[in-house]
């Protein structure tokens, strides 16, 4: 190793978590360094440049709230911002607070090894350099480690292949191409209508049909923007008090107690409004299967009304709980299946057998393509963390510690790994909320904790095994009161073969924040603090 640098904090990742950490640590005068694998900031929005990539949280909410000047000066152009605009925003933030000088781009963290004798982490990066740091904050994102199924013959295919989560920066022109796409999650549902506009033929391989509500995206009305900006802080506070940390919130009316007319009226209103607020139509939608069935029936009716071919409409109608796989928001998704050059192939019963030189085989039939798009998702929440060699006390690896699924206290720390923090880690609300809201809350909690330790000359903080065990139990108990664990979602790791089936996010933002605040107010109760050696 050629050289060794020392800082107080190493931050891994320069997405929205890493950027805000950089801003906070800088403001606190804490010495830090950010490592980022990409050659620019933005995380998710740096990598996911597939056609149609767009946020499913409204742009007036999907932005930082920590600086009123920032939220007042930035102008979003659309109700749901597209990838390019969000990336521009991330760069604006990085430039506005002069953060890029603290970020080392195009550098992966290969390993982080805890040195108990000095209470520091030894971080080795892909440029073969070593950085010693007291604290290591993993802002590596929940959906950053892509999942490409290990199809037999994947290397034999002579055409072009793309993964939606690692899209070429220069874009791809599919004009006149015969294209296959595998997957029907959010990424596929956003890209399929645009791929269909370009391709001469598009074949969609669907394993599980997904629910999607129209996004009804539109340019933002300046009067609406002004009305939000006039009371922006109150708007943000209201969102933080809602279960998903977003502007939509159920109003106490239950579907099971509602007459058919009320069900129709509320679902229709939500459908016409568009977006993920559909899940807030009724308070019991994610709690009671009978309630959820009414949403399912409504969605099926909508699909049948749009898709002309009854066989295709049936195949596109999911038979699982609405919302237990992440609900999608689309622009013209179901309509795309009315185009003559768009085919839908069900691979639920007959999985893709293998890729060949010219295409792929399922159910004994070969489909030939110029290009194949893998819209096959992510090794969510744990993938990026476990891709690094992280070793805590006694040389225990994080992979060994989490062999049966992630175990954390509050999704912020894990016992045996002192001074290692995770932003929106497993066991925190993260992906069940507006990520921006969860990121800000975590970054503020972590920065306050690091400042507290600095002011008290503390050497290490570590989740206690008891607090962690109780928290993991609580996360599962809360999840089991909902319908979320009921289908093969990435929330459970079910999309990655061999991944332990554990419900990873925590349901309910406000009680979670209350718990985090209580822990901090009680001198980091549930964490063991040690003096500097
Ligand atoms: P995803 O939801 O996990 O979807 C992956 C798709 O690939 C699923 O349809 C899955 O089928 C299919 N698949 C995986 N392995 C397969 C195999 N071996 N054979 C056939 N099909 C296979 O991934 P994603 O679409 O990238 O979305 C992930 C998450 O990112 C979303 O849920 C959302 O939270 C976020 N996201 C958000 C936006 C937005 O803001 N609008 C856009 C994109 C993504 P199964 O369902 O059967 O596993």
């Amino acid at each position: 190793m050629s050289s060794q640098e020392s800082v107080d904090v190493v931050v891994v990742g320069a997405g929205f978590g890493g950027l805000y950490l950089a801003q906070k640590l800088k403001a606190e005068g804490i010495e830090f360094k950010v490592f980022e694998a990409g050659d620019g900031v933005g995380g998710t929005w740096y990598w996911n440049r597939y056609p149609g990539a767009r946020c499913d949280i409204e742009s007036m909410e999907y932005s930082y709230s920590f600086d009123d000047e920032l939220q007042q000066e930035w102008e979003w152009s659309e109700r749901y911002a597209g990838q390019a605009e969000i990336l521009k925003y991330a760069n604006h933030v990085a430039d506005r607070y002069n953060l890029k000088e603290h970020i080392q781009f195009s550098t992966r963290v290969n390993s982080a090894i805890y040195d108990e004798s000095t209470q520091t982490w030894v971080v080795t990066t892909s440029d073969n350099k070593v950085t010693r740091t007291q604290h290591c904050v993993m802002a590596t994102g929940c959906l950053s480690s892509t999942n490409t199924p290990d199809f037999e013959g994947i290397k034999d295919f002579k055409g072009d292949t793309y993964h939606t989560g690692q899209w070429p920066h220069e874009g791809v022109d599919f004009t006149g191409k015969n294209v296959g796409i595998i997957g029907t999650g959010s990424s596929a549902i956003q890209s399929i209508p645009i791929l269909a506009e370009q391709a001469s033929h598009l074949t969609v391989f669907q394993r599980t049909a997904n629910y999607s509500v129209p996004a009804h995206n539109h340019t933002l009305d300046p009067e609406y923007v002004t009305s939000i900006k006039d009371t922006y802080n109150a708007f943000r506070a209201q969102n933080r008090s809602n279960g998903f940390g977003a502007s939509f919130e159920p109003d106490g009316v239950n579907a099971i107690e509602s007459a058919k007319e009320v069900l129709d009226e509320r679902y229709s209103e939500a459908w016409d409004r568009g977006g993920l607020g559909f899940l807030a139509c009724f308070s019991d939608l994610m709690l009671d299967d009978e309630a959820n069935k009414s949403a399912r029936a409504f969605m099926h009716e909508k699909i049948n009304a749009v898709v002309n071919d009854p066989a295709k409409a049936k195949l596109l109608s999911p038979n699982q709980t609405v919302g237990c796989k992440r609900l999608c928001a689309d622009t013209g998704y179901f309509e795309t299946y009315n185009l003559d050059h768009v085919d839908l192939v069900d691979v639920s019963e007959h999985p893709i057998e293998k890729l060949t030189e010219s295409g792929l085989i399922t159910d004994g039939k070969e489909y030939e393509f110029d290009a194949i798009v893998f819209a096959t998702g992510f090794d969510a929440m744990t993938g990026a963390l476990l891709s690094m060699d992280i070793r805590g006390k006694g040389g225990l690896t994080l992979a060994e510690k989490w062999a049966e699924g992630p175990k954390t206290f509050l999704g912020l720390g894990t016992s045996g790994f002192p001074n290692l923090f995770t932003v929106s880690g497993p066991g925190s609300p993260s992906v069940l909320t507006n990520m921006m809201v969860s990121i800000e809350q975590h970054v503020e909690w972590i920065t306050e904790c690091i400042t507290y330790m600095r002011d008290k000359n503390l050497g290490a903080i570590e989740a206690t095994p008891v607090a962690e065990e109780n928290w993991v139990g609580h996360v599962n108990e809360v999840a089991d009161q909902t319908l979320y664990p009921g289908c093969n979602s990435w929330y459970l790791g079910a999309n990655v073969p061999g991944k332990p089936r554990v419900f990873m996010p925590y349901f309910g933002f406000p009680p979670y924040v209350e718990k985090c605040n209580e822990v901090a107010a009680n001198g980091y109760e549930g964490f063991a603090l040690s003096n500097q050696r």
Side-chain angles (χ1 to χ4, degrees):
M1 299 294 166
S2 50
S3 64
Q4 184 164 328
E5 196 182 340
S6 279
V7 289
D8 296 326
V9 184
V10 158
V11 175
V12 188
F16 282 122
L19 283 181
Y20 187 30
L21 272 158
Q23 192 276 340
K24 288 290 282 178
L25 294 168
K26 189 174 167 176
E28 285 293 342
I30 294 169
E31 242 189 295
F32 70 97
K33 183 158 191 176
V34 184
F35 292 112
E36 164 57 52
D39 66 8
V41 299
T44 291
W45 303 103
Y46 172 92
W47 297 104
N48 285 266
R49 302 179 189 226
Y50 61 84
R54 188 175 290 288
C55 193
D56 57 6
I57 295 287
E58 298 198 26
S59 38
M60 296 307 290
E61 299 172 44
Y62 193 83
S63 50
Y64 292 117
S65 68
F66 66 81
D67 182 342
D68 194 45
E69 275 182 26
L70 171 66
Q71 65 182 4
Q72 292 295 337
E73 79 196 5
W74 183 261
E75 300 286 345
W76 293 107
S77 64
E78 293 176 276
R79 177 184 183 189
Y80 295 105
Q83 173 272 334
E85 192 171 22
I86 303 175
L87 192 59
K88 203 168 149 201
Y89 173 72
N91 276 286
H92 169 74
V93 172
D95 293 336
R96 191 185 196 284
Y97 302 99
N98 293 318
L99 304 178
K100 286 182 182 165
E101 63 197 64
H102 299 274
I103 305 170
Q104 186 176 322
F105 291 104
S106 307
T107 308
R108 278 190 183 276
V109 168
N110 291 336
S111 68
I113 317 282
Y114 190 62
D115 176 357
E116 283 179 65
S117 64
T118 56
Q119 298 166 308
T120 55
W121 285 91
V122 179
V123 175
T124 307
T125 39
S126 52
D127 55 354
N128 227 16
K129 297 222 166 94
V130 173
T131 307
R132 200 173 268 275
T133 178
Q134 184 181 8
H135 300 284
C136 208
V137 189
M138 298 299 179
T140 41
C142 294
L143 295 159
S144 47
S145 179
T146 53
N147 165 49
T148 304
D150 189 16
F151 292 120
E152 187 190 327
I154 199 160
K155 293 211 169 75
D156 298 340
F157 180 60
K158 294 263 192 294
D160 299 319
T161 56
Y162 306 95
H163 192 292
T164 47
Q166 283 176 333
W167 203 258
H169 289 196
E170 63 280 11
V172 184
D173 182 6
F174 290 102
T175 306
K177 297 259 168 74
N178 180 10
V179 181
I181 179 166
I182 303 171
T184 48
S186 296
S187 304
I189 280 177
Q190 288 187 328
S191 51
I192 282 167
I194 296 171
L195 294 179
E197 277 171 21
Q198 298 176 0
S200 60
H201 198 99
L202 181 68
T203 308
V204 180
F205 294 90
Q206 172 184 279
R207 187 164 69 181
T208 313
N210 239 321
Y211 293 104
S212 185
V213 284
H216 294 315
N217 187 35
H218 53 73
T219 48
L220 279 171
D221 171 9
E223 271 181 40
Y224 166 75
V225 172
T226 305
S227 74
I228 297 285
K229 285 191 172 178
D230 279 350
T231 54
Y232 223 152
N233 291 338
F235 176 73
R236 302 284 199 181
Q238 177 61 51
N239 295 351
R240 279 192 286 265
S241 75
N242 292 342
F244 298 103
S247 59
F248 48 84
E249 178 76 349
D251 62 0
V253 175
N254 285 331
I256 47 162
E257 290 151 6
S258 299
K260 170 100 176 68
E261 307 80 71
V262 177
L263 295 171
D264 285 346
E265 193 188 320
R266 285 187 160 231
Y267 287 138
S268 298
E269 261 174 32
W271 188 268
D272 293 344
R273 223 175 16 253
L276 303 189
F278 188 88
L279 286 178
C281 269
F282 293 99
S283 292
D284 54 354
L285 216 50
M286 291 312 298
L287 302 175
D288 185 314
D289 194 51
E290 277 309 307
N292 198 279
K293 273 186 187 151
S294 63
R296 276 175 246 177
F298 177 86
M299 301 280 244
H300 288 176
E301 262 176 44
K302 287 291 181 190
I303 295 168
N304 279 319
V306 171
V307 181
N308 299 334
D309 175 354
K312 271 188 184 173
K314 187 158 185 264
L315 212 49
L316 288 164
S317 299
N319 57 12
Q320 77 234 3
T321 306
V322 175
C324 87
K325 274 181 189 247
R326 169 90 170 200
L327 186 61
C328 305
D330 72 278
T331 302
Y333 173 64
F334 292 112
E335 289 81 349
T336 303
Y337 292 95
N338 291 333
L339 300 171
D340 289 339
H341 69 294
V342 176
D343 286 332
L344 178 64
V345 176
D346 175 19
V347 293
S348 61
E349 306 263 312
H350 303 284
I352 292 165
E353 285 161 37
K354 61 175 186 170
L355 267 68
T356 63
E357 274 192 17
S358 43
L360 63 80
I361 297 180
T362 168
D363 198 13
K365 180 176 172 193
E366 180 165 14
Y367 295 81
E368 295 192 350
F369 298 113
D370 300 315
I372 296 177
V373 175
F374 296 103
T376 45
F378 300 89
D379 183 354
M381 302 199 78
T382 54
L385 293 166
L386 296 177
S387 71
M388 293 172 274
D389 182 9
I390 301 177
R391 291 168 196 247
K393 278 160 65 179
L396 182 74
T397 66
L398 192 63
E400 285 163 350
K401 163 94 200 259
W402 287 3
E404 287 163 14
K407 293 189 173 75
T408 70
F409 181 39
L410 300 171
L412 282 160
T414 184
S415 75
F417 296 78
N419 299 350
L420 181 83
F421 298 94
T422 47
V423 177
S424 60
S428 75
S430 60
V431 293
L432 291 183
T433 64
N434 171 1
M435 282 303 298
M436 282 297 212
V437 169
S438 279
I439 282 171
E440 283 195 329
Q441 185 259 338
H442 262 198
V443 168
E444 285 160 17
W445 192 97
I446 291 167
T447 314
E448 270 165 38
C449 178
I450 289 173
T451 314
Y452 176 92
M453 290 180 67
R454 178 190 62 184
D455 295 347
K456 294 210 166 343
N457 281 326
L458 294 169
I461 181 166
E462 178 188 352
T464 67
V466 173
E468 180 173 292
E469 200 185 317
N470 289 342
W471 183 252
V472 171
H474 177 63
V475 172
N476 282 301
E477 204 180 304
V478 172
D480 288 342
Q481 288 163 14
T482 73
L483 301 176
Y484 282 105
C487 58
N488 292 324
S489 68
W490 56 258
Y491 297 139
L492 281 159
N495 61 324
V496 177
K499 191 166 172 172
R501 197 182 169 99
V502 173
F503 192 77
M504 294 181 283
Y506 180 72
F507 177 69
F509 186 68
Y512 172 81
V513 175
E514 205 177 302
K515 174 74 180 167
C516 289
N517 292 344
E518 190 185 294
V519 163
N522 292 337
Y524 296 93
E525 190 177 33
F527 288 92
L529 300 166
S530 1
N531 291 325
Q532 272 179 6
R533 293 220 167 97

